[in-house]
Structure formats: C-alpha cells, structure tokens
Amino acid sequence: MRGWKEQEIGMNQRELEREGMDLKLVLLLLLKKIPIVIITALAGALLCGTFYGAWHSRAAGRRLYEARSQYYITFEEIEDKTFFDYYYNGYTWNDLLSSDLILGYAMELLPEGYERNYVDDCVEAEILSDVRVLTTTVRAKDAAEVTLLQRAVEQAVVHYAEDGEKLELIEVIRSEEPVLEELSDHMLRAAATGAAGAALAAVIVILLLIAVQDAVYLPEELEKRFGVRCAGIECGNRELQRQLAQNEEWLLKGNEYPVLSMQEVLNAGAEVFARIRNAGGVILSVPQGKRNSRRLSAALHQLEIQDCKVIYAKITDADERLLRWYYGRQGNVRSSAKRNA
C-alpha cells in the first residue's frame, strides 16, 4: 500500500509539472493574501523604524562638537617664477598634523593633562580643491575643549610655515565656532525600506507555498489530475448551485449513491464498501483549498481495489469570491461532467 502511495504521488507531481501553473489562479490566490502582505509590510516598517529610531537616538547622544579652520598657504616659487613644483595634499597634511612639527608644537600650547594620542584623534586635515587652501577640523564632546584645541592647532599650523619645505607663509583665513555635528534623520526611508522588504519577502513565501501545495480549487483540476468527473462546486452562489443541481440530476439518473468525504473513504470498513458496491458507486466530496491531493489519491485507490465506482465528485466549502474572480461575474464553471459521462 505504501509503495502504491509513493508511486501515485510521484505520478501526480509529474502531471502537475506537465500541466504547468495556472497563472490566473496563482495571481488570485496571491490577491487573497494581500491582507497578510499588508500586515507583514506594516510589521517590517515598524521593526525597521524602531531599530533605526533606537540607533538614531543613540547616535544623537554621541554627537560631537566640531569646528573648522581654513588656512591660505603661500608656496615658494621656482626660479622661472611660473609655478611651484611642490605641493602638499590631504594625506600629507594629516601625516604632518600627527608629527612633532605640528602636533608636538600644539601640545606645548595646551595645558597639562592632555594626551598626545587623544589630541591626534580629535584633529583631521583635508585639501578640498585648491592645494593652497587647507582645512582642519577639530571634534570633541565639549565645545570649550574644541575651541581650546582649535586655537592650539591653528597656531601650530601657522608656525609650521617657518620650517616646512617650499612654504613661505600660512595664514588663518577662517575660524568657525564649535557646533554640534549634523545627524540626518532618515526615519521615513528606513520605514519604507522595511515595509518594501517585508512585503517582498511575504509575496515570495506565499508564491512558494502556492507552488508546492497540493490543494484542489477548481473542477478542471479534479478532471485533469485525477480523472474524476466533477459535477460542480458547492457554495453560496445561486448560479453555481443551479449548475451543480443540474449536473447532479443528470449524473444520478434517478439513482441514489452514498456521499462520502475522502477521510471517510480512508477510514471505511468492509460494510461501507459493501454498501457502495450495492448502490453502484459513491459520490466524493472534496473541500476546496485544503492540502488534500495525496489523501484524494489514496481514497481513489482504496475505492479502486474495493471495486467501488466513483460516480462523480463535487468541490465543497468553496470560496465564492475566488470563483467569481476566476470565472467572471456570471460564475460559469467549466465542468466536463456530461462530456465524460
């Protein structure tokens, strides 16, 4: 029995692969899950927004005061007085700031208690465009300390012109007051990113679940995958109920047959199968959208080995809205019950 089930399941999987995905049905099933996608997106936005808010709040508490100074550098000219053949770039100035020529001189101007490594970490230099304009930035937790370090660095840089190669004069042309570092607030961007990422992940997961599930939604699936005539779909739609009643009347031909679910067939004993054989067959009820293809295969096999005929099947517990979307407002189910009779 177990070997047959594995073989039957394998056949069903191959049939599904050959049949391909019903993209319209997949899209409608995905649309049904839109509330889940929306909730997931909101959760993603809330989660990312919360984490970003916590980070932003912590970063705001660690902001430093900073002050910039700008210097104009006059280089010595070469003999032909057309251009200087030596200049300092930003990397060179950062190295010089850490040297005894500048930092060492600045340390002599500072009060006792300052460590050289600390002051070195607080100061940086850069050349933005013109090599003749140097910018230094001092950062520290306290505005008064920034001012103190800034003044010492300015004097040290100006003094360096006396000993620096190819330098004639360095002048301070701008000295800013200490201000708190700016911290951009990207809360909305973080929330939007979290929402988009969570929604995309939800859609991917839903599509994967739809792709691997073995549920039955439509009469066509019963007929194509299992070779079972489907009389129609049982739901609250009047048109579908009318079609189901007409098909059942035509298929029954005045006879009465037991109506069993797949589980009832699988749990049936000899008496039930005897009743089915005496009646001439059975009517199977298959709930829509449940992971039941394997149970249906097993139930059909059980009926086959018990020499019980399946008159037809009908899909129960159907989602009327899904059917209306799939078949259109008229809800006409394409059933081949009569054609396969």
Side-chain angles (χ1 to χ4, degrees):
M1 185 70 174
R2 181 179 179 183
W4 175 87
K5 285 185 178 180
E6 293 174 350
Q7 181 181 5
E8 185 70 20
I9 292 169
M11 291 176 62
N12 286 335
Q13 293 297 329
R14 289 194 296 273
E15 289 172 3
L16 284 172
E17 292 173 1
R18 289 196 302 268
E19 188 177 318
M21 296 182 67
D22 187 335
L23 295 181
K24 182 178 181 180
L25 178 60
V26 170
L27 177 60
L28 294 178
L29 292 175
L30 177 60
L31 288 176
K32 282 186 61 180
K33 303 296 184 181
I34 287 298
I36 295 178
V37 176
I38 293 175
I39 293 173
T40 305
L42 292 176
L46 179 62
L47 185 63
C48 286
T50 300
F51 275 109
Y52 179 82
W55 172 86
H56 190 273
S57 177
R58 185 177 179 185
R62 297 198 305 265
R63 281 192 300 171
L64 301 175
Y65 285 90
E66 64 179 17
R68 288 184 173 86
S69 302
Q70 283 189 329
Y71 313 80
Y72 187 83
I73 305 170
T74 303
F75 292 91
E76 293 180 355
E77 295 181 343
I78 58 177
E79 293 182 358
D80 58 10
K81 301 186 183 300
T82 57
F83 198 68
F84 47 85
D85 62 351
Y86 192 86
Y87 67 90
Y88 295 76
N89 59 34
Y91 295 104
T92 302
W93 278 112
N94 270 302
D95 290 340
L96 287 172
L97 279 178
S98 301
S99 69
D100 289 335
L101 294 173
I102 296 180
L103 183 58
Y105 186 85
M107 294 302 297
E108 295 177 4
L109 302 175
L110 293 172
E112 293 184 3
Y114 275 98
E115 295 183 1
R116 179 166 177 154
N117 289 338
Y118 172 76
V119 177
D120 191 16
D121 291 338
C122 292
V123 184
E124 67 177 10
E126 58 184 341
I127 297 291
L128 297 177
S129 57
D130 192 336
V131 295
R132 293 168 298 182
V133 179
L134 168 67
T135 301
T136 60
T137 304
V138 178
R139 294 184 179 89
K141 293 182 178 180
D142 183 72
E145 183 180 47
V146 169
T147 300
L148 178 65
L149 297 177
Q150 180 187 24
R151 297 292 179 260
V153 170
E154 288 176 351
Q155 293 182 50
V157 172
V158 170
H159 177 267
Y160 174 69
E162 298 178 7
D163 301 318
E165 185 180 0
K166 299 293 184 180
L167 297 177
E168 183 176 314
L169 179 67
I170 298 178
E171 301 174 279
V172 178
I173 59 175
R174 185 175 181 180
S175 182
E176 298 178 352
E177 294 296 323
V179 294
L180 272 174
E181 290 179 305
E182 292 185 1
L183 185 62
S184 300
D185 190 348
H186 299 297
M187 175 66 78
L188 290 179
R189 184 184 299 177
T193 301
L200 178 61
V203 169
I204 292 174
V205 171
I206 291 171
L207 289 176
L208 288 175
L209 292 177
I210 292 174
V212 301
Q213 71 178 354
D214 60 353
V216 173
Y217 289 92
L218 307 171
E220 295 92 316
E221 294 178 293
L222 278 176
E223 295 159 3
K224 289 180 181 179
R225 291 161 57 183
F226 302 97
V228 177
R229 293 180 297 185
C230 183
I233 299 177
E234 192 174 276
C235 68
N237 184 283
R238 291 183 179 181
E239 176 61 22
L240 293 180
Q241 288 300 97
R242 186 185 63 80
Q243 292 180 26
L244 175 60
Q246 288 179 342
N247 288 338
E248 287 184 322
E249 182 180 359
W250 190 87
L251 289 167
L252 289 173
K253 295 180 172 59
N255 299 316
E256 292 186 4
Y257 303 100
V259 180
L260 299 178
S261 68
M262 298 173 295
Q263 196 60 45
E264 287 175 327
V265 171
L266 294 174
N267 296 335
E271 303 83 1
V272 175
F273 290 117
R275 180 162 62 91
I276 294 174
R277 285 192 294 269
N278 291 334
V282 65
I283 299 171
L284 272 180
S285 62
V286 180
Q288 185 192 61
K290 307 296 182 183
R291 299 178 62 86
N292 50 26
S293 291
R294 296 185 180 186
R295 283 191 300 163
L296 179 56
S297 296
L300 291 174
H301 176 70
Q302 190 74 357
L303 290 168
E304 182 182 0
I305 63 177
Q306 290 292 334
D307 196 23
C308 295
K309 182 180 179 181
V310 178
I311 305 302
Y312 64 84
K314 59 183 176 181
I315 296 177
T316 62
D317 304 324
D319 185 334
E320 183 179 348
R321 183 173 59 176
L322 175 66
L323 297 174
R324 186 167 60 250
W325 287 349
Y326 189 87
Y327 292 111
R329 289 191 173 275
Q330 297 301 321
N332 293 318
V333 178
R334 298 185 295 273
S335 175
S336 59
K338 293 186 178 181
R339 184 175 66 250
N340 295 334

